[in-house]
Amino acid sequence: MTDTPDQTPSPAERKARAEAAMRAAEAAAGALVERDAPAPDSAPAPAPAPEPGRTPEEGLRALAELFAETGVPAALAARAAARLGPGAAGRLRDDPWRLLSVPGVRPGQADHFARAVLGDGARPDDPRRGGALVLHLLTEAARQGHTVTPAADVLSALERLRFPDPRRAVEAALDEAEVLSLTEEPGFDEEAFEEDAEPPEPEETLGPARWALAEEAAAEGFQRLTLTAAPLLDDAALKGLRDGLPEDRSLALTAALRTGVSILRGTPDGLARTVAAIASAAASQGLRTAVAAPTDRAAADLAAALPGGAAEGVEVTSLHRLLEPREDPSAAPGAVVYGRGEQRPFDLDLVIVADGAALDVELCAVLTEACPDGAHLVLCCEPGAAPPAGPGRPLDDLEASETVPVVELDAEPPSGPVGELTEAVRGGELAAVDAPGREVVIVPAEGAGEAVHRAVQLVTDSIPRALGIPVEDVQVVAPAAGGDAGAGALNTALKARLNPGPGAFGGMDPGDRVVVAAPLPQAPLGETGVVTGGGPHGLEVDFPGGAAVVAPADASRLRHGWAVPVALARGTRRPGVVAVLAADGLSRPLVATAFGLARRHLSVVQAAGPALARAVREDGAPARRTRLARLVAQ
């Protein structure tokens, strides 16, 4: 039925429509779909209906022809095809403002494209333009970690973009079911309460349906696991396991085996030892146990660090691998289909996630839905950890909900100079540390150009020569991908020095190190690998989890990986780390996370001046607007 002005759908109807669209997409994929998280240059992807009879190659050709007609750079075709699917050309002819959903496209560029496609039919007040602008604004907010944005902020932004009727634009976005309107009840301020005062009005917020529904699914999952949990062992067995343990480790073991969901906080070494002890103890009692790391490389390191290796009965793997990703041609563009989910949950009693702070709301929803009733979930986190790469802050929200136990491990003396520096940063101090073995080196740089030069020198010469750490064991990290000293600029310089070449396969050459910037069926977010070849069939990459062929449509999810943003590097420690720090984007959690990635050696290329000490001292982690804490507590 077509909506008329007198038949405007209610918020509940719109939400039901969005949920139905999501369910239809999941049913078409045959499993729960976790779409690519908005890493630095990603955006939420719609789930277009497949175009019968059109292959990806045919779709790309049609899109290239459309872009040639309208003057759009040809380089954008691959990204648009990856975002919008084989039928991208037809969809863009029908609604040219959908180009705004492609990463990197700005409103003015989409308007120019719309005029080229529609001519005089491209009106500033076109509802299609309004809906696309709203979704674009919310996507930009999602890149900053927000799952919702006040409607008033969106209306103000639309006025700045000169949309004639901002409220109509919001209505258009709501009608497309890609955006939801959510009512946020104001918190109760007891100090400001007056008996005769009018209660504050609820605030209207807007959020992409993708993240809003994922946040609700994650909240429902946490509630379900808490309500269905029973002790995994009887009192006598638990007492036997606790005998002789320090109080903090005893509390951690008790929380893991007694409650459905628990949070465990501690330093990396303390967490690793405690996780190993909990997993081994559970497995010794016949409990089916898994420890999930952020990447396959991190999982291999964790298994090797367990006393005697991975304990019998304990599965140590990446969370991505635990969820059983699989290839599915029917999946929406940019989607990863997992074999585990609500219809086929884990065959596990206890799941321990090594870096719970890395979970965004969507991956959190996937994880909780894959945990069966009665399973126990332990989420681990370092103190002051950086937020996830994608929207939300599930672990912090879960703690704020006060619905689950939180165990903090006792502080331990830092292990070596790198540990001392990292611990000092967590405490708000940028301290000088004694490093007789050059475990920590500070390299001043006057500007971005010198910072890039110094980083290349460290990776290709100083660290391998002076410390014996080979280039392949050194990871460069930066606060972000962009900027004159960001990961992109560093990778350009490192490739020129380490593996020069024409970029024969979509900008990549055999020997290039790459990083997964959005999840692939073959590898999780943040995994690094080495290109071994390529061709029309795709890019051949050797990942820690094995060799893989990344299809051309998926290759846009890879970036050069000698240097990576901290958000992608987190959770996978390396023997050597070069942290290139410019003034922009710094915060205490980011700096602590970057420093904590180093096992043996840390070089800090200091191009931030006094901004680095100020960021560490002031904390500075931007707040995120989310709903999960309230939803879990309901």
Side-chain angles (χ1 to χ4, degrees), residues 36-409:
D36 54 319
D41 57 357
S42 300
E51 189 168 316
R54 171 155 283 183
T55 66
E57 292 76 16
E58 292 170 339
L60 188 58
R61 280 197 300 272
L63 191 58
E65 291 171 3
L66 173 62
F67 283 179
E69 293 171 15
T70 53
V72 175
L76 194 63
R79 270 188 285 161
R83 181 63 56 194
L84 299 173
R91 300 184 75 215
L92 288 173
R93 288 187 187 277
D94 291 339
D95 182 356
W97 286 285
R98 282 192 177 274
L99 191 68
L100 263 180
S101 68
V102 177
V105 175
R106 298 187 298 274
Q109 295 168 320
D111 286 338
H112 178 84
F113 176 67
R115 287 191 294 271
V117 172
L118 301 176
D120 294 340
R123 303 188 319 276
D125 63 346
D126 192 307
R128 294 171 295 181
R129 178 175 183 258
L133 285 173
V134 171
L135 185 59
H136 172 74
L137 291 168
L138 295 176
T139 296
E140 290 299 303
R143 288 197 182 99
Q144 304 303 314
H146 307 301
T147 59
V148 292
T149 300
D153 291 358
V154 175
L155 294 173
S156 297
L158 289 167
E159 289 176 357
R160 291 193 295 272
L161 290 170
R162 298 182 179 180
F163 191 83
D165 187 346
R167 176 53 68 177
R168 185 182 177 202
V170 170
E171 292 295 330
L174 295 174
D175 287 343
E176 287 295 315
E178 290 179 356
V179 171
L180 291 181
S181 175
L182 306 155
T183 302
E184 302 293 330
E185 294 293 338
F188 182 77
D189 186 352
E190 188 171 349
E191 293 183 1
F193 177 74
E194 295 180 9
E195 187 172 349
D196 298 328
E198 289 291 329
E201 291 292 326
E203 181 184 39
E204 181 190 6
T205 62
L206 301 171
R210 169 186 178 181
W211 302 113
L213 297 176
E215 215 158 19
E216 293 181 6
E220 291 170 2
F222 286 133
Q223 291 171 332
R224 175 178 58 81
L225 292 175
T226 298
L227 292 172
T228 60
L232 294 177
L233 297 176
D234 61 32
D235 291 344
L238 179 59
K239 184 177 183 303
L241 294 174
R242 291 175 52 177
D243 283 348
L245 291 178
E247 183 179 6
D248 59 335
R249 310 296 167 90
S250 176
L251 289 173
L253 179 64
T254 301
L257 300 182
R258 285 281 188 185
T259 59
V261 182
S262 60
I263 295 173
L264 179 60
R265 293 189 179 273
T267 60
D269 291 340
L271 282 173
R273 286 192 290 270
T274 305
V275 165
I278 293 173
S280 298
S284 72
Q285 300 298 307
L287 298 176
R288 300 165 299 174
T289 304
V291 179
T295 63
D296 292 330
R297 185 184 300 274
D301 291 342
L302 183 59
L306 293 177
E312 184 177 352
V314 177
E315 182 179 5
V316 182
T317 185
S318 66
L319 178 57
H320 190 72
R321 201 71 55 199
L322 188 67
L323 289 165
E324 298 183 8
R326 56 187 177 85
E327 302 274 2
D328 190 331
S330 67
V336 174
V337 177
Y338 290 116
R340 294 291 181 175
E342 187 177 9
Q343 302 303 317
R344 186 170 169 261
F346 297 138
D347 298 316
L348 294 169
D349 303 303
L350 176 63
V351 179
I352 305 174
V353 179
D355 186 7
L359 300 175
D360 67 19
V361 292
E362 196 163 42
L363 189 53
C364 202
V366 174
L367 169 63
T368 56
E369 289 192 349
C371 290
D373 289 354
H376 288 209
L377 177 63
V378 180
L379 301 173
C380 302
C381 180
E382 299 173 18
R393 46 171 195 175
L395 191 137
D396 289 340
D397 281 346
L398 186 60
E399 181 173 351
S401 74
E402 299 183 347
T403 60
V404 303
V406 180
V407 178
E408 186 121 14
L409 298 177

